[in-house]
Amino acid sequence: MKLLELIDRDLYSEIIAHSMEELSAAAEIFIAETYARTYYNQILNKNDFPGLLGSQQFVAWINDHTGRTGKTRPGLLRLYIADNPSHFKKEKWLTIYLPVAMAYARDKMQDKSYVKRGEVRLLAARSFADEEWLRRATGLFGVKMLEFLARHKALRTEAARAVVEANQQFRTEVKEFTAVLFRARKDGLPDHAFRRLEDMIQRTVPTRIFGDVLRKIRAESGFEYRQYLRLKPRLEGLLREVARQSALLLPGEQATLDESQPGLFF
């Protein structure tokens, strides 16, 4: 599927005029900055969308899955990459194609040869038809793609890499500190001491890691981040128009998320 199949020629010409690579670099930072979270359910919380796909279910379809027989079902992410090589330039994703990726995911989830259970296809159809669910799910798919690219050292910008890697580091440290807290409570640590330790971890770990992100962005990607800030207002307009014309919605501002949830950006 091509971007031009989803939008009109005038909009496509405008995107080309801004440079696909320049816009994609800005879009990559936009996704990382807006949607990086410790847990995927902070992006797409199933409690917000009763009767629709939750983050765990959607991520299960985005990822590859190996069954008990040992056979692997390729995930939506891998299939999209394999079926759309023109969306990548020198192994780096042209992020402006995110609406096309979601259109691909939507269509694939209705493919009887891929999703064999009718009730799952129906659930997916209802989910993709919900405007706010689609906005959040697009952010989740974008984050999963950036994480995949980071593992393969194929991100376009240092700013996005700094955010993605810091978020992954935070996930690792949360697991480690959770284990420490569990052992402390198991060993009989008094409740007041336990709460103090828990509060210290929650305050210091994200602050330190986020400080590292800011230092990396300033030191390694100051110019590209300034370019992103310059393009951001126009970028948002272009992306939303692409989304409108393709009957898909891209992630909104960070404020659309529940900021009471813990994450990299507090």
Side-chain angles (χ1 to χ4, degrees):
M1 183 182 293
K2 298 179 180 178
L3 188 59
L4 192 52
E5 294 174 3
L6 294 177
I7 62 176
D8 65 36
R9 290 185 177 276
D10 289 341
L11 179 59
Y12 187 76
S13 298
E14 187 174 358
I15 290 172
I16 294 298
H18 280 78
S19 165
M20 290 284 275
E21 291 193 40
E22 187 179 51
L23 281 172
S24 290
E28 184 178 277
I29 298 172
F30 179 72
I31 293 169
E33 181 183 71
T34 305
Y35 270 80
R37 287 296 185 277
T38 310
Y39 306 110
Y40 298 127
N41 66 6
Q42 293 170 265
I43 305 173
L44 183 66
N45 193 317
K46 68 177 182 179
N47 294 329
D48 295 336
F49 303 101
L52 303 180
L53 287 169
S55 60
Q56 188 173 359
Q57 292 169 294
F58 190 46
V59 167
W61 284 100
I62 293 174
N63 293 341
D64 297 343
H65 174 71
T66 301
R68 285 175 291 184
T69 62
K71 186 177 180 180
T72 298
R73 181 219 69 207
L76 294 169
L77 190 64
R78 188 174 298 278
L79 289 172
Y80 163 72
I81 293 170
D83 290 346
N84 296 277
S86 63
H87 295 184
F88 296 81
K89 190 169 184 179
K90 296 181 180 178
E91 299 184 351
K92 291 181 169 58
W93 187 34
L94 292 167
T95 320
I96 196 73
Y97 281 109
L98 180 55
V100 184
M102 284 303 285
Y104 177 91
R106 176 190 59 193
D107 295 345
K108 203 69 181 173
M109 290 294 288
Q110 297 307 307
D111 184 346
K112 293 181 181 180
S113 65
Y114 184 64
V115 182
K116 294 182 169 51
R117 292 172 56 192
E119 60 268 31
V120 176
R121 294 196 302 273
L122 181 60
L123 179 62
R126 285 203 307 266
S127 300
F128 276 87
D130 184 278
E131 183 175 304
E132 185 57 27
W133 183 93
L134 187 55
R135 190 187 308 278
R136 303 285 188 93
T138 302
L140 176 53
F141 191 95
V143 167
K144 288 290 292 181
M145 174 64 87
L146 296 193
E147 290 176 351
F148 174 86
L149 295 172
R151 289 196 299 272
H152 291 81
K153 301 188 185 306
L155 282 173
R156 188 175 294 278
T157 64
E158 288 298 318
R161 183 180 65 80
V163 173
V164 170
E165 289 183 354
N167 202 48
Q168 291 173 329
Q169 180 187 349
F170 187 35
R171 285 178 193 162
T172 300
E173 295 200 14
V174 164
K175 289 180 182 178
E176 292 173 353
F177 280 118
T178 298
V180 170
L181 289 171
F182 178 78
R183 285 196 299 271
R185 170 155 282 181
K186 190 176 180 181
D187 292 341
L189 186 72
D191 283 348
H192 68 88
F194 178 85
R195 286 193 297 272
R196 183 178 298 175
L197 179 60
E198 186 177 36
D199 180 64
M200 179 189 70
I201 290 170
Q202 289 177 345
R203 284 187 291 104
T204 59
V205 173
T207 300
R208 175 177 56 76
I209 293 177
F210 187 47
D212 290 344
V213 172
L214 293 178
R215 281 191 292 275
K216 282 183 180 180
I217 289 175
R218 281 196 293 266
E220 302 174 10
S221 53
F223 175 74
E224 72 182 19
Y225 197 78
R226 288 194 298 274
Q227 287 285 90
Y228 158 65
L229 292 177
R230 179 180 65 81
L231 281 170
K232 185 177 178 181
R234 188 68 195 117
L235 169 72
E236 290 173 343
L238 281 172
L239 290 178
R240 290 198 174 99
E241 182 60 17
V242 169
R244 186 189 68 78
Q245 291 192 19
S246 61
L248 290 166
L249 293 172
L250 283 171
E253 287 296 336
Q254 189 174 337
T256 63
L257 293 178
D258 180 0
E259 292 303 320
S260 66
Q261 297 283 352
L264 180 57
F265 300 102
F266 279 70

